[in-house]
Amino acid sequence: MRVDPWWRSGVIYQIYPRSFLDTSGDGVGDLEGIRRRLDYLAWLGVDALWLSPIFRSPMADFGYDVSDYCDVDPLFGSLDELDRLVAEAHARDLRMVLDWVPNHTSDRHPWFLESRQSRSSAKRGWYVWRDPAPERGPPNNWMAAFPRDTRAWTFDDATGQYYLHCFLPEQPDLDWSNPEVAAAMHEVLRFWLDRGIDGFRVDVVHCLGKDPALPDDPPDLAAIPHSALNDQPATHGVLRDLRRLVDGYPGDRMLVGEVYLLVQPDVTRYYGRGDELHLVFDLPRTLHTPWDAAAWRERTETVQTAYAAAGAWPTLVLSNHDTPRHRTRLGSEARARAAAVLLLTLPGTPFLYAGEELGLEDAVVPPDRRVDPGGRDGCRAPIPWDQSARHGWAGEPWLPWPPRAERCAVSVLRDDPSSILHLYRRLLAARRASPALQVGDWTVREAPAGVLAYERVAGTDRRLVLVNFTSEPVTVPAAGRVAVASDGGSEGAEFRGELVADAAVVLVPGR
Ligand code: NOJ
């Protein structure tokens, strides 16, 4: 039972294609690897797949530096293979979401190559070029996101100007105030929407509108990368145009935007009045919430109030390709299991990051194997599929295996009904069967210290969720049948009033 639209009630599974499954033997995951695991994903019970960037790229930022928005990088496969993947995913009722990177291109994109040719190039105004400051040096004090402690400007000797890059020098920022840029990017979206893509995850969408005066960031914030501060009214006009374009297609196409702001964390403005993004990641507010019942209660109450006022629908993310996995952050599988209950029962659209259903930890990556200029290799470790020497991969993977790969492999956990993998599957099934868990109202219930208790209600459908954030057993006076228990215990039986350490349960309350 799925309540419409799919992007509100469903669960979206993020695949980092490089790390999912290699079938070609080059050690980098590919589209064919994803296709071969569609049955697994359907068995798991997710509703949509989001693929991190697969477009042509020199891979300075592993695909977040695009050199052709309308082709698949040969490392991953071909357009034909993508079409086949989409068709086979759709046949299993899985939606397909692609990662679209509109703030910057690769420095090898033909647009930028042309732009840097001369000051009078027809594409000069597609990027942000400025003269040096009067006393020489970059035009303002903005910092790049990586490498750490570097400026967001690179000087181009040939034309004597600086260009802006909020990320690597290989990722020059486009100038979205230029209507030609917007028009070219709209064509890109149409290209993919016409091919049947169901939506886009929009990279650093809050960076699209820039203050035309490019003023310095305030001195007290000047050490923070500009990308975590840029929050301009112009972005909202860009988003309204994108929304109109996407909503012009049939079948509930969707835009989920990455908005990562450290000083102005309220992201609800990016939903507009229901005329901007369909969904927005609320990353700092979730990733930085400590493992503490009061903190999660406060976080969720704040989200509920802010989103209700804005008429917006929240999202939930515990792990992704930019952050240490929550299994690593929380330090134990028991807690990671309890966190999975939160993720799949709190209000909002959950995003799972491939491998969290296996309880994967970040890989420990020795210095000579580090490849990411942003230091994020650990959470991008390859997915182990079986117990063979290369865990099902055709070639030796581009990054080291995560710890305990032997024991966390899909084939092993699939054979073990008590595994975290089966917990995710049961939670996903319980969610799919319950409108209350998908879209119901949320009410916090009083509970002993260290326990978060809440109810989800949609019509006559009700669920009560109890999460023990402590590492001690706790007595909780609640009644109902245990639908899912994070430790697998007593499912189907009446709740006995005690939560074991670091555990969570979903109850169907008694009448
Ligand atoms: C956010 C993406 O999630 C990250 O991986 C990337 O490096 C930056 N945007 C730049 O595109």
Side-chain angles (χ1 to χ4, degrees):
M1 183 189 336
R2 192 156 65 190
V3 182
D4 284 337
W6 63 273
W7 46 264
R8 212 173 268 171
S9 55
V11 177
I12 302 179
Y13 183 94
Q14 179 192 359
I15 292 179
Y16 195 70
R18 295 182 73 87
S19 303
F20 198 66
L21 175 62
D22 166 36
T23 61
S24 67
D26 63 2
V28 173
D30 41 46
L31 295 182
E32 175 59 14
I34 300 171
R35 195 188 67 78
R36 290 190 198 168
R37 291 298 179 267
L38 286 175
D39 284 335
Y40 164 72
L41 297 164
W43 170 83
L44 181 60
V46 294
D47 299 271
L49 309 181
W50 147 33
L51 309 188
S52 282
I54 53 163
F55 303 158
R56 264 190 198 262
S57 164
M59 303 286 169
D61 189 14
F62 300 110
Y64 286 97
D65 50 321
V66 175
S67 56
D68 183 348
Y69 288 92
C70 296
D71 201 3
V72 170
D73 196 279
L75 204 54
F76 299 127
S78 64
L79 263 181
D80 285 347
E81 281 175 292
L82 183 67
D83 287 343
R84 182 168 178 207
L85 174 62
V86 172
E88 294 192 19
H90 283 168
R92 291 165 176 81
D93 212 13
L94 290 166
R95 308 273 179 152
M96 290 294 287
V97 175
L98 295 185
D99 214 312
W100 173 50
V101 187
N103 176 65
H104 41 266
T105 67
S106 159
D107 63 342
R108 317 257 191 92
H109 194 293
W111 299 342
F112 188 70
L113 295 179
E114 189 179 336
S115 182
R116 77 185 310 172
Q117 284 280 314
S118 77
R119 290 188 183 210
S120 58
S121 146
K123 292 215 167 43
R124 191 67 168 181
W126 283 42
Y127 294 84
V128 186
W129 290 97
R130 288 293 183 280
D131 288 334
E135 65 284 4
R136 312 295 308 158
N140 68 20
N141 69 353
W142 295 1
M143 298 301 284
F146 34 72
R148 255 166 198 266
D149 301 325
T150 58
R151 305 298 286 261
W153 297 93
T154 289
F155 188 69
D156 183 54
D157 281 326
T159 56
Q161 287 191 309
Y162 282 90
Y163 67 88
L164 175 68
H165 51 86
C166 286
F167 295 87
L168 295 173
E170 292 90 343
Q171 295 168 296
D173 279 45
L174 285 160
D175 184 351
W176 272 81
S177 69
N178 183 332
E180 292 177 16
V181 168
M185 280 301 202
H186 291 176
E187 279 311 303
V188 167
L189 291 188
R190 287 198 190 94
F191 176 86
W192 293 109
L193 291 164
D194 289 339
R195 287 189 112 81
I197 294 303
D198 298 291
F200 301 93
R201 177 267 187 191
V202 190
D203 192 57
V204 292
V205 72
H206 57 292
C207 290
L208 297 186
K210 308 269 188 336
D211 184 332
L214 302 179
D216 275 351
D217 285 327
D220 54 323
L221 304 176
I224 299 179
H226 180 72
S227 59
L229 301 170
N230 193 86
D231 188 19
Q232 288 293 313
T235 301
H236 300 283
V238 171
L239 293 181
R240 285 191 289 274
D241 291 344
L242 295 177
R243 176 68 177 256
R244 257 193 307 277
L245 187 157
V246 168
D247 281 357
Y249 280 77
D252 283 332
R253 315 291 175 108
M254 181 273 300
L255 292 169
V256 52
E258 181 201 22
V259 177
Y260 196 96
L261 289 167
L262 287 176
V263 176
Q264 272 289 0
D266 179 21
V267 301
T268 58
R269 288 165 295 120
Y270 287 82
Y271 291 79
R273 297 184 174 151
D275 57 356
E276 296 185 29
L277 295 164
H278 299 86
L279 296 174
V280 179
F281 290 139
D282 201 345
L283 297 168
R285 187 136 62 182
T286 306
L287 297 173
H288 303 170
T289 301
W291 188 248
D292 173 79
W296 273 89
R297 173 178 175 161
E298 193 189 319
R299 176 220 165 264
T300 308
E301 285 173 338
T302 311
V303 165
Q304 287 302 96
T305 311
Y307 282 65
W313 185 255
T315 59
L316 277 151
V317 176
L318 293 180
S319 289
N320 65 23
H321 62 294
D322 289 332
T323 319
R325 286 180 175 278
H326 64 274
R327 167 70 181 80
T328 297
R329 301 197 310 270
L330 297 177
S332 78
E333 183 170 305
R335 285 184 175 180
R337 285 171 174 246
V341 173
L342 277 181
L343 177 70
L344 292 165
T345 64
L346 279 175
T349 302
F351 287 74
L352 307 189
Y353 178 47
E356 71 175 74
E357 78 275 23
L358 310 174
L360 292 189
E361 294 174 70
D362 282 14
V364 179
V365 184
D368 62 327
R369 297 221 34 205
R370 290 183 194 155
V371 287
D372 176 40
R376 299 160 293 183
D377 295 319
C379 62
R380 299 174 179 180
I383 305 290
W385 291 97
D386 62 32
Q387 285 186 298
S388 66
R390 277 204 302 262
H391 299 303
W393 281 55
E396 193 53 35
W398 67 296
L399 282 174
W401 295 105
R404 303 176 299 120
E406 279 273 315
R407 275 177 288 149
C408 295
V410 172
S411 62
V412 176
L413 301 189
R414 226 178 139 153
D415 283 347
D416 174 4
S418 72
S419 68
I420 186 169
L421 174 59
H422 278 268
L423 169 66
Y424 267 85
R425 184 166 185 256
R426 291 196 308 276
L427 279 168
L428 287 161
R431 191 186 154 89
R432 186 171 287 219
S434 165
L437 290 180
Q438 293 173 47
V439 295
D441 292 340
W442 180 83
T443 316
V444 74
R445 295 278 171 236
E446 287 316 312
V451 173
L452 179 60
Y454 51 88
E455 206 168 0
R456 302 290 312 272
V457 180
T460 55
D461 187 41
R462 292 148 64 98
R463 295 291 181 277
L464 179 64
V465 180
L466 310 173
V467 184
N468 180 6
F469 283 79
T470 74
S471 295
E472 305 290 332
V474 191
T475 304
V476 187
R481 181 176 53 79
V482 179
V484 186
S486 65
D487 66 350
S490 64
E491 284 180 10
E494 283 301 304
F495 180 61
R496 296 242 186 96
E498 183 165 298
L499 273 177
V500 299
D502 300 310
V505 291
V506 182
L507 305 182
V508 181
R511 284 175 197 275

